[in-house]
Amino acid sequence: MKDSQDANYLKNNGLEVTDMQEGKVFWVKFPTGYRIIMDADELNRLAKFFELHKDKGPGVIEMLFRSSTA
């Protein structure tokens, strides 16, 4: 997916995604309030992670994602 597609996909799944630097740096806020700054590659990985776990809610996906990157 392209950066804008990744951002839109994540927004449609309950996250706030703000492009901070013309597709290079993104500010992502999960529904729980957890915030993270990501580059385009990380945003793409997060979108793929959401797609892989699309049967779960955003809160569960957040916890799975955070534990997988810890």
Side-chain angles (χ1 to χ4, degrees):
M1 283 190 231
K2 293 183 180 179
D3 303 334
S4 61
Q5 290 175 320
D6 291 335
N8 286 332
Y9 180 78
L10 293 170
K11 287 178 186 178
N12 290 335
N13 281 283
L15 280 68
E16 290 180 37
V17 180
T18 304
D19 185 343
M20 296 176 58
Q21 195 178 35
E22 300 174 2
K24 296 178 185 173
V25 178
F26 298 88
W27 179 81
V28 179
K29 181 180 176 191
F30 288 83
T32 61
Y34 175 72
R35 296 174 182 96
I36 188 169
I37 296 189
M38 302 181 145
D39 65 19
D41 291 336
E42 292 169 319
L43 189 76
N44 180 261
R45 282 194 296 274
L46 179 60
K48 287 180 180 178
F49 195 84
F50 259 76
E51 194 170 339
L52 179 66
H53 298 286
K54 60 185 168 187
D55 60 322
K56 297 168 182 63
V60 172
I61 296 172
E62 174 191 346
M63 297 313 295
L64 291 170
F65 179 76
R66 288 176 67 182
S67 65
S68 73
T69 58

